[in-house]
Amino acid sequence: MTQAPEIQDEMPRAYEPGNIEDKWYRFWLENNYFEPVIDPDKKPFVIIMPPPNVTGELHMGHAITAALEDIMTRWHRMRGEPTLWLPGVDHAAIAAQVVVERQLAAEGTDRHQMGREKFLERMQQWVKECRQTITNQHKKLGISCDWSRERYTMDEGPSRAVMTTFQHLYDKGLIYRGERIINWCPRCGTALSDLEVDHMDLSGHLYYVRYPLAGESGSIVVATTRPETIVGDTAVAVNPNDDRFKSYIGKNVVLPAVNREIPVIADEAVSTEFGTGAVKITPAHDPVDFEVAQRQNLSFINILNEDMTMNENAGPYQGMDRFDARVAIVKDLVESGQLVKTEDYNHSVGHCQRCQTIVEPLVSKQWFVKIQPLAAPAIKAVRDGSIKVVPQRFTKVYINWMENIYDWCISRQLWWGHRIPVWYCLACEEIIISAGTPGTCPKCGSSNIEQDPDVLDTWFSSGLWPHSTLGWPDDTEDLNYFYPTSVMETGYDLIFFWVARMIMLGIENTGKIPFHTVYLHGLIRDDQGEKMSKTKGNVVDPLISMEKYGTDALRFALTTGTSPGNDSRLSTSKMESSRNFANKLWNATRFVVRNIADGQTATEIRRDSLPVEDRWILSRLDRTVATVTGLMDDFQFGEAQRQLYDFLWSEYCDWYIELAKIRLHSTSEDTLSPLPVLVHVLETSLRLLHPYMPFVTEELWQNLKRHLPSDWQQCESIMIAPYPETTAGAIDSGSEQVMESIIEIVRSIRNARTEHKVENSRWIEARIYAGELTQAITPHAPSIEALARARPVSIQDTRQEDGGEENALVLVLTGTEVVIPLESMVDAEAEKKKLEKEIAGTSAEVTRLEARLKDENFLSKAPPDIVEKERQKCYSLINKLERLRQQLLKY
RNA sequence: GGGCAGUUAGCUCAGUUGGUUAGAGCACUCGGUUCACAUCCGAGAGGUCGAAGGUUCGAGUCCCUCACUGCCCACCA
C-alpha cells in the first residue's frame, strides 16, 4: 500500500479544496481502490459509464452523470460489493466529424481536399487530444471508475464486437441493403436515421397548383409546400370516398413545367379535410408518398443530386439549387396561370441534428436493420419488469416508441466511424461480409473486390457498449462476472438513441438484458431555467466551478434538490451553499480534533450511562442512517443528501456540539467526556456522506482517524471503509422527547431575550416548571443556562402561585412553563395579544383533534398507532391550552 | 394530433405505500468580534400547496375536469 498523504496537524480556519483534492485522488489511484476484486461468492455492482463523445470538453451534463454514478459506485463499494464502474469514450462518428470539419473550414480546407486517409489521421489526432482532456476532467471530478478497464468504441475489442454483430445480424436476415427513403443531410453528405433529424416549425407557403386533365377539359388543384418537387411527381392521389374527385380517378393529368402525364389514383392516406383534398405524390422525396407509391406500384423519380442541385429529371430546372428551383418554378407557374393561390403556412421542417442544415427526404441505397424482431424482446424485458426504469413514467415513453419503430438506417456516407464490413465483388456481384479484409471473392475467386465506402451509425457501436466493453464476443471472465450490469445511468434524452438500442442489441447478442435498472437524470439548466448552450453563452464550465468552489461543492450542488428524471437548475447560490456545507464540516472536525487529547476517544461508548444529549444524537444518527440508506436504495439521492445535510448542520453542529462544549469546559471530575460520542457521530456521518463529497470527507476522516481506536488504523481510506448500518438499541425515543423539550425551552428563552431586547452580555434568571419532565430535565439546567444565557435556572415540578411574577414573562410551552423575571416592564397588552393568538391557534387544533377522536369512523378505520398518536397530541395540547388560558387571566 | 411533466414562501426547489399546526437553500428584517466556523451564530417575517369538483375518518399527496408553462413523439401534403 502507498503511504497516505500527509495530514496537517493544525487545520486552517477554512476548507481549501485545492490543497487536498489531487493528493487524495492520486492516493486512491495508487492503491487501486477503483478496481474491483472478483469474488464469485459475491454479487457485483456494475455501472458502465455512458461514453462521452470526442467532440470537445466535458460539460455539466457529464458532471451530473459523473456525480450520480460516483455516488452509487462509492456507496456500493463501501457496502462490500465488488464494484465496477467502467469508463470509456465514444468516437461519435458524425458529431466528431462535424467538429473537425468545422476546424478544417476555419483553416480554409475540407475533407475532400485532404482525402480520406489524411482526414482520418487528422481525426485520430483530434481524438487523442480530446481523450486527454476528458480523462483529466473526469479525474478532477474525483470519480472512482476503473481506469484499467477504460474502453474506446474504436478499440480492437469493441470494433470486433461491431463487426461480429453486423455479420450475425446479416446472416440472420436482420440486416439488409435496400433502396428506401431516408433523410439526407446535404452538408454532411450522408443519410441520417429518423432520430437524427430535429423538426422545427418554419414559416413557409402553401402553394395551390392546377394540374390540367390530359386530353380533356378540367383540372385538379393540389397544394404543396415544396413546389420544386412537382417535377418528381408520379401521381395525384385523392381519397377513394371523396365524391368531389370520384370521376377523376383513373384519368391522367399533365404536370406543369415538364408536361409529363401522371395518373390520378385513390389512396386512403389522403385526407379529405386538408388542402384541396388532392395530393401530389412525389415518391422519391416524401416518406408518405413513398409508402403510397409502394402500395400503388408507382414509379420513383429522383430529382436531386447529392449536393441538392436539381438533376437531369428536373427538365428546365436542372442544375439549380433546390431552393432556387422553388423560386423559379413558382415564377413559371404564375406565368402559365397554373398557380391558383399562395397561403402563408407554418410547417415543420427536418434539420440535421449535428449541423442544422435542412434535410431532404430521398430514396437511396442504404443498409438497414430490420428492427421489429429485435424490438419485441426488448419491449417484453421492460414491460415485465426485468429491466426497471427510474423514474417509472419513462417506461411508457419507451414502450410506445418501440412499438412504432421503423427499420433503422445504419449506413452513413461519412469517413469517420466503423467501416461497414462488406465487400462487393466487381466480377460476380457477390456481397462478402467479413471482419477482416478478404483477399478474393469466395464465390468466383476474383480479387477484384472493393469495400463498401460507408461507415456505421455511431449508435450501432454504442448499442453494444454494456457487453462489448466487457469483452464480448469473447467469453471473458469480466463478461461472465459483471454482465448483466446493475444500473445504466444516463440522461432521459438518450432513451431512444441509446438505451433502447442497448436493450435490443444486448438481448440479441448475449441472450441477456444488458442492465437491471435504467436510471434517467434530467437536464442541467442555467439559473434562469434555460438550456445551456454555446450559442447562448450561458454555459457554466465544470472546471471553473471546481476551481472556484471545490469539486465536492460542485458535485453536491448538482445533486441538490434533484429527483430522477427532472430537470434542475445550477446556480451560484447552490454552489455557494454546498461550499459552505463543506466548510461547516471542516470546522466541526477542526473543533473535535482540537479537543482530543491522545487516547481519549479510545474508550468504548457505554450506552447505558450516557447523558440524554448523547443518547439523543446517537438515536438521531441511527434514524439518519436508516433514512438515508432507504432513500438511496430507492434512487432518491437528492433527498438522501438533504437528510445528511440537515442532520449534520442542524442537529450535530447546532445542538450536539454546543451541548458538548459545556461538558468539555466542565471542571468537575464527574463529567463524562462527550468526545467518544462526538467523534463517533462525526466519523459515522463522514462515511455516510462520502459518496456525495469524496474529497473533504476523506481528508477529515483521515484527520479524525489518527485519534480513533486502533482497529480503525487498519482501514486505509474512508472509501473502502464500511458504509454505516443501523445499530440495535440506538433508537431512543425517550431521549428524543426530553431533548425536544430542552430545545424548546432554550429557543423560547432566546426568543424572549430577543423580543425584549435583552443585551447579549446580560444573563437573565429563568424558572422552569417541568411537570412530568422535571426529573429528566433537572440535570440539564447547566445546559439550558449556557445555551440560553440564563442564570440561575431553577427547575421545579409545578408552578408556585406565590406572586413575585408581577413583572415576569411567562412562556407556556408544550409540557413545560418558563418564567422569566424582567427588570424592564413587561408590556401586558402585547403579551396578552400574543397569548390570545396562541390560544386561538391551539384551540382550533384541539377542536379538530377532539372531533376526530370522537369520530367512530376514525377510531374504527384509522390504524391504532395513528389514533394513539393523535390522542397523545390532543392531551398535551389540552393541557397546554389550559395553562395558556390561566396565564391570560393574569393579565 | 397524441403523450408526459411542472404549477408548494419573493426566487430555486424538496415533500414516494394518504396520517403532527407543510420544509430547505437563497433573498429579506432585527441582533451578534463568547476561543470550530462571519463560507458563521441567534431571533424573526413570509405559503387558503394553480382553479373547481370528487374519494376518504383524514388529501400538497389518490381520482375527474379545467387553466397556464415546458418537454417528447407524430407521414396531413
Side-chain angles (χ1 to χ4, degrees):
Chain A
M1 171 215 154
T2 313
Q3 193 66 37
E6 280 204 17
I7 306 288
Q8 282 175 279
D9 278 328
E10 188 62 28
M11 296 172 72
R13 282 175 70 88
Y15 172 48
E16 287 151 30
N19 297 342
I20 66 134
E21 291 176 357
D22 291 349
K23 74 173 180 189
W24 288 118
Y25 200 76
R26 222 176 304 123
F27 174 68
W28 296 332
L29 273 179
E30 283 164 2
N31 287 289
N32 303 325
Y33 293 151
F34 301 164
E35 296 173 29
V37 175
I38 292 181
D39 178 348
D41 295 332
K42 288 184 178 171
K43 193 172 164 238
F45 178 82
V46 187
I47 293 182
I48 308 292
M49 181 193 292
N53 286 347
V54 284
T55 47
E57 310 203 332
L58 297 186
H59 51 66
M60 284 300 173
H62 297 109
I64 180 89
T65 301
L68 286 166
E69 290 173 22
D70 203 30
I71 286 169
M72 290 188 244
T73 301
R74 287 180 184 271
W75 178 48
H76 283 276
R77 187 184 294 115
M78 288 176 80
R79 288 174 129 193
E81 299 161 37
T83 297
L84 170 63
W85 182 17
L86 190 150
V89 285
D90 196 312
H91 70 283
I94 188 168
Q97 178 163 326
V98 168
V99 168
V100 173
E101 279 177 338
R102 285 205 184 112
Q103 295 171 1
L104 295 181
E107 295 162 20
T109 181
D110 62 48
R111 65 171 159 128
H112 298 287
Q113 283 182 41
M114 283 177 98
R116 189 161 187 153
E117 204 174 318
K118 277 259 153 52
F119 178 75
L120 290 179
E121 275 171 29
R122 174 71 183 248
M123 287 299 309
Q124 300 288 4
Q125 188 199 326
W126 162 252
V127 169
K128 205 173 152 197
E129 289 165 24
C130 208
R131 285 185 67 174
Q132 193 59 51
T133 310
I134 289 171
T135 303
N136 289 342
Q137 285 180 305
H138 264 149
K139 288 184 173 171
K140 183 79 187 141
L141 278 161
I143 64 176
S144 64
C145 53
D146 181 357
W147 294 106
S148 74
R149 284 181 168 84
E150 187 186 7
R151 291 289 180 273
Y152 170 47
T153 46
M154 301 277 265
D155 280 346
E156 191 275 332
S159 295
R160 196 150 43 83
V162 167
M163 302 310 159
T164 308
T165 304
F166 190 97
Q167 171 118 49
H168 164 75
L169 292 176
Y170 181 82
D171 291 346
K172 217 176 159 179
L174 295 180
I175 280 184
Y176 64 92
R177 195 174 187 223
E179 282 214 66
R180 310 221 358 210
I181 193 147
I182 47 90
N183 307 287
W184 183 264
C185 173
R187 198 223 61 88
C188 297
T190 181
L192 301 172
S193 70
D194 296 342
L195 277 177
E196 290 167 298
V197 176
D198 289 338
H199 291 273
M200 280 182 271
D201 268 359
L202 292 185
S203 61
H205 304 282
L206 192 56
Y207 302 91
Y208 289 76
V209 183
R210 185 180 306 280
Y211 289 10
L213 283 171
E216 57 183 299
S217 62
S219 63
I220 282 189
V221 176
V222 298
T224 180
T225 53
R226 298 185 297 158
E228 72 279 12
T229 63
I230 285 174
V231 297
D233 286 359
T234 57
V236 167
V238 297
N239 190 287
N241 303 316
D242 192 334
D243 290 336
R244 293 173 295 179
F245 298 112
K246 271 193 172 149
S247 62
Y248 291 84
I249 297 170
K251 293 183 174 169
N252 281 357
V253 291
V254 180
L255 279 179
V258 284
N259 289 322
R260 183 159 45 78
E261 284 191 22
I262 55 170
V264 178
I265 59 161
D267 195 283
E268 298 280 355
V270 180
S271 159
T272 55
E273 311 284 319
F274 191 87
T276 61
V279 192
K280 60 192 273 313
I281 301 295
T282 320
H285 297 285
D286 183 284
V288 182
D289 294 1
F290 181 82
E291 284 182 15
V292 171
Q294 282 194 318
R295 275 198 293 275
Q296 308 272 354
N297 263 322
L298 300 172
S299 56
F300 296 69
I301 299 176
N302 188 346
I303 61 165
L304 288 168
N305 296 308
E306 283 190 0
D307 63 357
M308 296 301 107
T309 55
M310 308 297 284
N311 68 14
E312 66 280 4
N313 293 323
Y317 309 105
Q318 180 175 358
M320 289 186 192
D321 175 78
R322 54 178 165 164
F323 297 126
D324 296 338
R326 180 176 301 174
V327 175
I329 203 166
V330 167
K331 183 167 166 269
D332 292 347
L333 290 170
V334 170
E335 280 171 9
S336 67
Q338 283 173 294
L339 186 67
V340 178
K341 62 173 173 174
T342 307
E343 285 173 356
D344 287 339
Y345 187 63
N346 289 336
H347 60 137
S348 116
V349 178
H351 292 70
C352 172
Q353 184 195 32
R354 294 298 169 184
C355 73
Q356 274 67 55
T357 305
I358 293 179
V359 300
E360 201 67 37
L362 52 84
V363 170
S364 166
K365 198 171 199 183
Q366 302 285 345
W367 288 95
F368 294 87
V369 172
K370 195 175 172 194
I371 208 78
Q372 257 145 20
L374 297 175
I379 291 169
K380 183 173 173 287
V382 169
R383 203 194 293 276
D384 70 15
S386 310
I387 295 175
K388 181 179 148 195
V389 181
V390 180
Q392 213 217 333
R393 64 173 185 271
F394 286 109
T395 303
K396 227 172 124 179
V397 178
Y398 167 87
I399 289 176
N400 184 52
W401 185 76
M402 289 287 263
E403 282 177 342
N404 296 294
I405 198 165
Y406 281 81
D407 281 2
W408 174 18
C409 174
I410 51 168
S411 45
R412 297 287 180 277
Q413 289 63 54
L414 304 167
W415 289 350
W416 178 239
H418 291 109
R419 189 89 177 250
I420 290 181
V422 171
W423 276 259
Y424 305 105
C425 175
L426 300 180
C428 72
E429 297 192 348
E430 172 75 353
I431 290 178
I432 310 147
I433 312 292
S434 170
T437 307
T440 54
C441 171
K443 194 176 168 194
C444 72
S446 164
S447 57
N448 192 11
I449 59 172
E450 202 168 73
Q451 185 171 12
D452 192 305
D454 293 350
V455 300
L456 287 163
D457 182 2
T458 190
W459 298 104
F460 190 85
S461 54
S462 326
L464 313 175
W465 203 232
H467 57 284
S468 70
T469 49
L470 292 171
W472 189 91
D474 298 332
D475 186 25
T476 63
E477 185 185 28
D478 274 8
L479 188 65
N480 284 316
Y481 187 64
F482 294 117
Y483 190 89
T485 67
S486 311
V487 179
M488 174 47 64
E489 194 281 339
T490 190
Y492 63 70
D493 51 331
L494 292 180
I495 296 176
F496 307 139
F497 275 112
W498 193 39
V499 176
R501 274 122 182 213
M502 282 190 287
I503 297 175
M504 290 190 284
L505 294 171
I507 293 175
E508 176 62 26
N509 279 348
T510 70
K512 294 178 193 161
I513 53 169
F515 30 72
H516 295 285
T517 302
V518 178
Y519 176 99
L520 299 164
H521 65 249
L523 250 59
I524 302 296
R525 299 169 174 278
D526 73 1
D527 54 356
Q528 302 297 309
E530 296 285 328
K531 204 167 161 174
M532 290 186 188
S533 79
K534 278 184 191 161
T535 45
K536 274 187 215 157
N538 61 346
V539 174
V540 184
D541 182 345
L543 272 182
I544 294 173
S545 299
M546 285 189 277
E547 292 290 332
K548 192 162 178 196
Y549 301 99
T551 297
D552 289 331
L554 171 65
R555 291 177 46 161
F556 206 73
L558 282 167
T559 49
T560 294
T562 57
S563 40
N566 288 351
D567 293 355
S568 58
R569 301 186 190 196
L570 180 66
S571 58
T572 50
S573 95
K574 263 188 193 172
M575 290 192 275
E576 277 167 9
S577 56
S578 300
R579 174 202 58 192
N580 296 354
F581 180 54
N583 188 59
K584 186 74 180 176
L585 293 174
W586 180 266
N587 275 291
T589 308
R590 183 162 166 256
F591 169 81
V592 171
V593 168
R594 269 193 187 179
N595 280 284
I596 295 173
D598 279 341
Q600 207 176 340
T601 61
T603 44
E604 191 107 336
I605 296 170
R606 293 204 319 278
R607 287 174 191 279
D608 50 342
S609 62
L610 295 175
V612 71
E613 68 264 28
D614 287 14
R615 279 178 280 137
W616 165 75
I617 198 71
L618 290 168
S619 181
R620 291 293 310 139
L621 173 68
D622 206 64
R623 285 191 201 274
T624 305
V625 170
T627 311
V628 165
T629 306
L631 287 165
M632 289 178 73
D633 262 325
D634 212 18
F635 296 93
Q636 305 290 329
F637 304 110
E639 182 63 7
Q641 171 180 326
R642 195 184 62 83
Q643 295 278 343
L644 284 168
Y645 180 100
D646 284 350
F647 172 74
L648 273 158
W649 199 311
S650 311
E651 300 191 89
Y652 182 73
C653 289
D654 285 355
W655 290 98
Y656 187 71
I657 286 186
E658 293 309 314
L659 284 161
K661 281 179 185 171
I662 299 160
R663 280 153 68 196
L664 286 169
H665 296 156
S666 163
T667 48
S668 161
E669 295 206 347
D670 300 337
T671 308
L672 181 69
S673 168
L675 271 169
V677 173
L678 218 33
V679 170
H680 170 78
V681 175
L682 180 59
E683 190 278 329
T684 309
S685 303
L686 289 174
R687 277 185 286 136
L688 280 171
L689 190 65
H690 179 258
Y692 294 85
M693 293 191 142
F695 289 119
V696 72
T697 52
E698 177 75 294
E699 173 77 10
L700 296 177
W701 187 84
Q702 296 282 356
N703 212 317
L704 213 47
K705 189 180 101 171
R706 302 186 294 176
H707 308 286
L708 288 174
S710 57
D711 46 328
W712 276 107
Q713 301 313 318
Q714 281 149 50
C715 187
E716 302 148 15
S717 164
I718 191 174
M719 69 164 285
I720 54 167
Y723 203 72
E725 290 179 13
T726 52
T727 313
I731 300 277
D732 185 341
S733 304
S735 296
E736 287 180 359
Q737 202 197 329
V738 172
M739 265 306 293
E740 272 166 31
S741 257
I742 292 171
I743 289 171
E744 190 188 23
I745 289 165
V746 170
R747 286 207 165 122
S748 72
I749 298 173
R750 285 172 173 171
N751 173 290
R753 293 181 61 110
T754 303
E755 290 206 340
H756 292 88
K757 307 212 186 310
V758 177
E759 311 89 85
N760 274 25
S761 56
R762 215 180 105 209
W763 291 70
I764 56 172
E765 186 193 342
R767 297 199 289 272
I768 297 165
Y769 303 97
E772 293 172 355
L773 291 166
T774 307
Q775 260 210 316
I777 291 179
T778 302
H780 300 93
S783 302
I784 296 168
E785 286 185 352
L787 297 178
R789 296 186 73 73
R791 191 183 293 150
V793 164
S794 61
I795 298 172
Q796 289 161 41
D797 190 346
T798 48
R799 199 158 137 204
Q800 318 284 312
E801 299 293 339
D802 58 357
E805 291 177 8
E806 294 79 29
N807 214 11
L809 198 59
V810 180
L811 310 170
V812 179
L813 309 178
T814 306
T816 60
E817 279 170 38
V818 179
V819 177
I820 305 171
L822 288 175
E823 277 171 20
S824 59
M825 284 296 289
V826 170
D827 182 344
E829 271 311 304
E831 292 305 317
K832 209 172 145 183
K833 268 192 187 147
K834 265 168 59 185
L835 267 177
E836 278 165 351
K837 199 176 159 194
E838 204 175 351
I839 285 170
T842 311
S843 149
E845 182 61 13
V846 166
T847 310
R848 240 190 52 201
L849 283 170
E850 280 180 336
R852 188 178 298 174
L853 287 165
K854 269 186 222 148
D855 189 330
E856 272 310 315
N857 272 322
F858 175 68
L859 296 174
S860 59
K861 287 178 184 168
D865 57 315
I866 295 290
V867 175
E868 186 50 32
K869 221 165 137 186
E870 298 283 87
R871 186 166 285 142
Q872 287 301 333
K873 200 172 93 191
C874 191
Y875 288 152
S876 106
L877 282 180
I878 287 172
N879 176 285
K880 182 178 177 182
L881 186 61
E882 184 51 34
R883 287 181 291 121
L884 283 167
R885 281 187 173 137
Q886 279 174 18
Q887 186 56 36
L888 184 63
L889 293 178
K890 299 199 175 138
Y891 286 109

